[in-house]
């Protein structure tokens, strides 16, 4: 009899499952019947703090895609991203560019395993937790990982790009 419980290789998006295999990562990918497209939905489904969710947000900096990893409770300060990159302009990428650059749809973009090699900035606040949760390639799947390992596997540069409250 076949076990109906999804394994990490079958629960994750195929491209992301391949990335996990290439990196030698054995993580528990959890699939939820309801979408975990937003950070709030993911935190509620997992039962963790909103700040433990990693948002993989795609921006366009001078025409080039850039992924910013941000905790779920915070917003990205686009001006800080522009300054960090030394770019003339930075704006949120549209859905077509997100899919073209990463191979995933908005709401399911993981921090690594993208279609193209993309620069990754990781906000320092992700290090405030022992474990963070990120999308595993679609809006129904997430996986936990130590934030330092997650940032390392994403080849991310640690930065401070969180919007400060007034």
């Amino acid at each position: 009899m076949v076990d109906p419980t999804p394994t990490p290789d079958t629960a994750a998006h195929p491209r992301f499952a391949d990335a996990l295999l290439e990196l030698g990562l054995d993580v528990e990918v959890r699939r939820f019947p309801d979408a975990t497209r937003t950070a709030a939905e993911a935190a509620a489904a997992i039962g963790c703090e909103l700040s433990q969710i990693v948002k993989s947000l795609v921006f366009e900096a001078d025409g080039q895609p850039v992924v910013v990893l941000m905790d779920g409770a915070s917003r990205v300060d686009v001006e800080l991203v522009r300054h960090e990159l030394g770019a003339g302009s930075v704006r949120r990428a549209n859905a077509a560019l997100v899919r073209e650059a990463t191979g995933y749809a908005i709401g399911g973009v993981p921090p690594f395993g993208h279609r193209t090699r993309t620069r990754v900035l990781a906000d320092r606040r992700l290090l405030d937790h022992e474990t963070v949760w990120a999308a595993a390639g679609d809006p129904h799947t997430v996986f936990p990982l130590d934030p330092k390992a997650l940032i390392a596997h994403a080849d991310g540069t640690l930065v401070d790009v969180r919007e400060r409250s007034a």
Side-chain angles (χ1 to χ4, degrees), residues 119-140:
R119 183 153 183 202
V120 176
L121 301 179
D123 190 75
R124 192 172 308 281
R125 272 200 66 198
L126 293 173
L127 300 177
D128 290 351
H129 301 283
E130 287 183 30
T131 301
V132 293
W133 294 82
D138 71 52
H140 295 273

Side-chain angles (χ1 to χ4, degrees), residues 89-140:
S89 70
V90 173
R91 62 186 176 118
R92 286 295 288 263
N94 64 31
L97 179 59
V98 171
R99 188 174 287 279
E100 178 186 323
T102 68
Y104 305 96
I106 292 171
V109 177
F112 49 83
H114 303 152
R115 173 181 286 153
T116 59
R117 180 134 172 83
T118 306
R119 183 153 183 202
V120 176
L121 301 179
D123 190 75
R124 192 172 308 281
R125 272 200 66 198
L126 293 173
L127 300 177
D128 290 351
H129 301 283
E130 287 183 30
T131 301
V132 293
W133 294 82
D138 71 52
H140 295 273

Side-chain angles (χ1 to χ4, degrees), residues 20-41:
L20 291 174
L21 196 59
E22 282 179 32
L23 293 168
L25 277 175
D26 182 19
V27 298
E28 174 194 5
V29 175
R30 291 192 192 172
R31 176 170 290 282
F32 294 96
D34 296 322
T36 54
R37 186 178 314 272
T38 69
E41 290 170 343

Side-chain angles (χ1 to χ4, degrees), residues 60-63 78-79 81-83 85-91:
E60 188 176 351
D62 293 342
V78 177
E79 184 58 26
V81 171
R82 189 191 70 71
H83 179 72
L85 297 171
S89 70
V90 173
R91 62 186 176 118

